[in-house]
């Protein structure tokens, strides 16, 4: 079917399919290729439904709609529309719920900020200033924990998104994320993770609070956001992991444990190994999370994947402000991530700013009585994956004959296949290998036409499908029925 040269170039010989395997030492990777008969010059995408990779667990965002930076009357106006668009247009299924270390304190600073008695800078300086509720980590003093801002996020973001997903017959995955940035301070009066039982107490109190007030609890615990921004060592994190897993089990809680969530991807493999070396920690982490703010390379992503496979965990890229479709493609195909996240849901501004790279949605609140929600240019393309590929989907084999034409393929839990093609320029192409059935077609341009439906296509007996990307865009072909 094909021949591989000494320099790794694959040359077609005859029509058919072949597996191509590359091996270096103990590491190997494979792909499947299809050689077709000469159909003409159009680039082709080949889908291999029999080649299965990782299972998708969700598409994540930080749980923030602009409830801090937006004007109150504007927020009230756009809130309901934002919830609807986040769920039904973008396709978010996971939210990060931040648990700041300052929850453990004898003073709730949120009411003063909310009431305008303190400014943002003064309030922010209290976020990570914790005070021990008492000297016994096994006996929590209710007066030593404050819920003002935490509950505000649950009420205005978590609950509405959870309810909107429920109306679709889907579930929201809540990722509770402990944050304890030092903000430039070398020492802290009460760093919870330096006393693992105290850390375990705080997390258990949060779970108990949510269960009592809301009737649900987090699905996962991301142990620590970006450890490089704290003085916590891998040994601190590992000991805290062992302590919190035990404490949560005692309460009947069995969340996923997520880490190490390093700022730099290059720091993640070594940090992961050191956490797992702590007695009792190995096997507790179920999701290998990393961020991409430095030290990024394909070998690093492969190292993350190999460690996750070795230790029976999935992988997740859980923050990179500014990442778009190309970053998503790389993480899906190199690190085989099951979860992916750019950053937060939305912020406000005083102009339309679709190029705001830190959010999925940007709100123009120049007129608070009529705020305008703008999906950002990056999110326009990301939604072509998020909205059509749902939790439980399996990534399938897919190849492209053209470097500038990127292809992803998935099979949803319903059995229906989804193919996403991305090109920065106008491009005709042909898809081979789609299972028989009726397929919808939708595309979004990075700037210009958005969420555009094209006529359905019908595939019978493996017939190829000819399509065109109109410009800088992503196009999705999704199974409607078998």
């Amino acid at each position: 079917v094909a021949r591989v040269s000494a320099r790794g170039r694959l040359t077609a010989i005859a029509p058919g399919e072949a597996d191509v395997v590359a091996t270096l030492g103990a590491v190997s990777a494979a792909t499947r290729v299809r050689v077709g008969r000469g159909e003409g010059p159009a680039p082709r995408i080949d889908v291999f439904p029999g080649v299965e990779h990782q299972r998708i667990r969700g598409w994540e965002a930080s749980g923030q709609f602009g409830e801090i930076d937006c004007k109150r009357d504007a927020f009230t106006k756009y809130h309901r529309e934002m919830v609807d668009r986040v769920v039904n247009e973008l396709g978010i299924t996971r939210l990060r719920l931040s648990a700041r270390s300052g929850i453990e304190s004898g003073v709730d600073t949120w009411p003063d900020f909310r009431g305008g008695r303190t400014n943002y800078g003064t309030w922010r300086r209290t976020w990570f200033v914790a005070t021990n509720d008492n000297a016994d980590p096994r006996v929590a003093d209710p007066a030593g924990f404050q819920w003002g801002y935490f509950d505000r996020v649950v009420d205005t973001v978590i609950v509405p998104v959870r309810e909107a997903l429920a109306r679709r017959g889907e579930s929201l995955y809540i990722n509770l994320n402990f944050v304890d940035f030092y903000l430039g301070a070398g020492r802290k009066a009460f760093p919870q993770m330096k006393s693992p039982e105290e850390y375990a107490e705080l997390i258990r109190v949060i779970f108990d609070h949510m269960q009592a007030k809301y009737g649900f609890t987090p699905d996962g615990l991301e142990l620590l956001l970006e450890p490089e921004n704290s003085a916590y060592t891998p040994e601190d994190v590992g000991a805290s992991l062992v302590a919190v897993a035990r404490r949560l089990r005692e309460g009947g809680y069995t969340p996923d444990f997520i880490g190490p969530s390093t700022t730099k991807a290059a720091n993640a493999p070594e940090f992961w190994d050191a956490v797992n070396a702590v007695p009792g920690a190995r096997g507790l982490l179920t999701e290998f999370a990393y961020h991409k703010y430095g030290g990024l390379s394909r070998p690093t992503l492969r190292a993350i994947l190999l460690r996750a496979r070795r230790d029976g965990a999935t992988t997740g890229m859980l923050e990179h402000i500014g990442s778009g479709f190309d970053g998503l493609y790389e993480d899906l195909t190199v690190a085989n991530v099951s979860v992916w996240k750019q950053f937060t849901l939305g912020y406000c501004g005083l102009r339309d700013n679709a190029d705001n790279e830190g959010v999925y949605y940007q709100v123009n609140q120049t007129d608070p009585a009529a705020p305008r929600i703008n999906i950002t240019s990056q999110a326009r393309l990301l939604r072509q994956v998020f909205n059509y590929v749902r939790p439980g989907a399996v990534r399938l084999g897919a190849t492209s004959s053209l470097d500038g034409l990127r292809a992803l393929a998935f099979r949803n839990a319903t059995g229906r296949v989804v193919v996403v093609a991305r090109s920065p320029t106008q491009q005709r192409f042909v898809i081979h290998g789609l299972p028989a059935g009726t397929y919808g077609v939708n595309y979004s341009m990075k700037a210009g036409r958005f969420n555009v439906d094209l006529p359905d296509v019908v595939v019978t007996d493996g017939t190829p499908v000819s399509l065109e990307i109109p410009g800088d865009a992503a196009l999705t072909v999704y199974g409607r029925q078998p």
Side-chain angles (χ1 to χ4, degrees):
V1 173
R3 176 187 300 113
V4 182
S5 74
R7 296 181 64 83
R9 179 177 293 278
L10 192 71
T11 303
I13 298 175
E17 291 189 8
D19 290 315
V20 185
V21 183
T23 302
L24 177 63
V27 181
S28 66
T31 190
R32 186 165 294 173
V33 296
R34 180 181 292 121
V35 178
R37 302 182 187 278
E39 297 95 356
R44 60 185 286 160
I45 289 173
D46 281 281
V47 180
F48 301 96
V51 178
E52 297 186 349
H53 298 289
Q54 74 270 30
R55 189 174 300 277
I56 301 303
R57 302 192 67 200
W59 312 114
E60 184 171 306
S62 289
Q64 188 170 345
F65 276 149
E67 69 280 356
I68 297 177
D69 62 298
C70 297
K71 299 173 182 177
R72 291 186 196 179
D73 45 354
F75 181 77
T76 301
K77 290 283 186 181
Y78 76 73
H79 179 241
R80 181 175 296 182
E81 180 187 347
M82 179 79 87
V83 171
D84 176 69
R85 294 182 66 175
V86 160
V87 171
N88 298 308
E89 178 181 76
L90 179 61
I92 289 295
T93 63
R94 283 182 38 146
L95 290 178
R96 175 200 286 177
L97 174 59
S98 294
R100 297 167 179 161
S101 59
I103 287 175
E104 189 167 358
S105 172
V107 179
D108 192 345
T109 59
W110 166 250
D112 281 346
F113 172 69
R114 179 71 174 165
R117 293 180 291 278
T118 58
N119 60 33
Y120 177 82
T122 300
W123 177 57
R124 186 174 187 271
R125 285 192 290 273
T126 70
W127 291 359
F128 312 118
V129 179
T131 304
N132 197 357
D133 65 312
N134 59 39
D136 188 347
R138 282 282 173 176
V139 179
D141 178 0
F145 300 89
Q146 306 301 327
W147 305 107
Y149 179 66
F150 183 87
D151 285 356
R152 163 76 171 171
V153 174
V154 177
D155 291 336
T156 60
V157 183
I158 303 297
V159 169
V161 172
R162 186 172 184 266
E163 291 174 346
L165 277 165
R167 289 192 288 271
R168 292 171 53 111
E170 297 180 318
S171 300
L172 174 67
Y173 186 107
I174 302 169
N175 174 17
L176 183 71
N177 183 200
F178 177 67
V179 191
D180 196 18
F181 286 1
Y182 277 31
L183 300 179
R187 299 175 60 188
K188 295 189 71 167
F190 179 50
Q192 285 110 328
M193 270 194 163
K194 292 294 183 181
S195 304
E197 290 298 332
E198 293 287 355
Y199 171 83
E201 177 191 49
L202 171 60
I203 301 301
R204 171 64 185 275
V205 166
I206 294 172
F207 270 71
D208 287 344
H209 170 76
M210 291 185 65
Q211 181 61 55
K213 182 168 183 178
Y214 297 103
F216 58 83
T217 58
D219 301 277
L221 171 63
E222 193 171 356
L223 295 164
L224 175 66
L225 180 68
E226 297 183 343
E228 295 97 326
N229 289 319
S230 76
Y232 296 129
T233 66
E235 291 71 27
D236 295 330
V237 176
S240 296
L241 168 61
V242 173
V244 76
R246 180 175 58 249
R247 188 72 62 89
L248 291 177
R249 281 196 302 267
E250 292 172 0
Y253 305 119
T254 56
D256 297 326
F257 292 108
I258 303 166
S261 307
T262 53
T263 308
K264 296 181 178 181
N267 294 342
E270 184 177 348
F271 205 107
W272 172 273
D273 286 343
V275 169
N276 279 289
V278 173
R282 184 166 297 279
L284 292 178
L285 286 169
T286 54
E287 187 176 300
F288 190 143
Y290 62 94
H291 296 181
K292 292 170 65 175
Y293 293 113
L296 182 66
S297 66
R298 291 176 67 88
T300 291
L301 295 181
R302 295 300 290 183
I304 289 170
L305 174 61
L306 290 171
R307 280 168 169 78
R309 284 178 174 172
R310 178 196 67 194
D311 296 331
T314 60
T315 56
M317 200 295 288
L318 295 190
E319 187 180 309
H320 188 211
I321 294 172
S323 261
F325 191 98
D326 290 345
L328 172 64
Y329 178 88
E330 180 179 60
D331 292 310
L332 283 168
T333 59
V334 181
N336 282 28
V337 296
S338 294
V339 183
W340 195 89
K341 167 188 176 183
Q342 196 234 48
F343 187 46
T344 202
L345 292 171
Y347 288 146
C348 282
L350 296 178
R351 63 187 178 94
D352 292 330
N353 182 17
D355 293 328
N356 187 327
E357 295 186 336
V359 297
Y360 293 112
Y361 290 94
Q362 183 265 348
V363 181
N364 183 340
Q365 62 173 355
T366 304
D367 179 1
R372 186 163 52 246
I373 300 175
N374 302 295
I375 187 168
T376 58
S377 56
Q378 300 285 20
R380 283 168 161 256
L381 305 188
L382 293 173
R383 62 89 54 188
Q384 295 300 129
V385 178
F386 292 3
N387 191 52
Y388 297 95
V389 180
R390 309 308 289 166
V394 174
R395 186 171 71 86
L396 304 176
T399 61
S400 169
S401 66
L402 185 68
D403 287 343
L405 179 65
R406 292 193 153 175
L408 294 165
F410 305 85
R411 182 188 297 110
N412 276 314
T414 60
R416 297 172 186 174
V417 171
V418 176
V419 177
V420 186
R422 158 77 175 130
S423 174
T425 59
Q426 184 176 0
Q427 182 65 63
R428 290 183 178 274
F429 63 97
V430 180
I431 302 178
H432 292 260
L434 279 173
T438 300
Y439 292 82
V441 183
N442 180 280
Y443 74 84
S444 292
M445 302 185 72
K446 196 169 183 181
R449 301 191 71 189
F450 165 68
N451 193 11
V452 179
D453 288 318
L454 297 178
D456 287 359
V457 295
V458 178
V459 177
T460 58
D461 302 323
T463 54
V465 176
S466 297
L467 295 165
E468 181 176 1
I469 292 177
D472 191 355
L475 181 147
T476 305
V477 180
Y478 57 98
R480 289 193 185 276
Q481 60 188 42

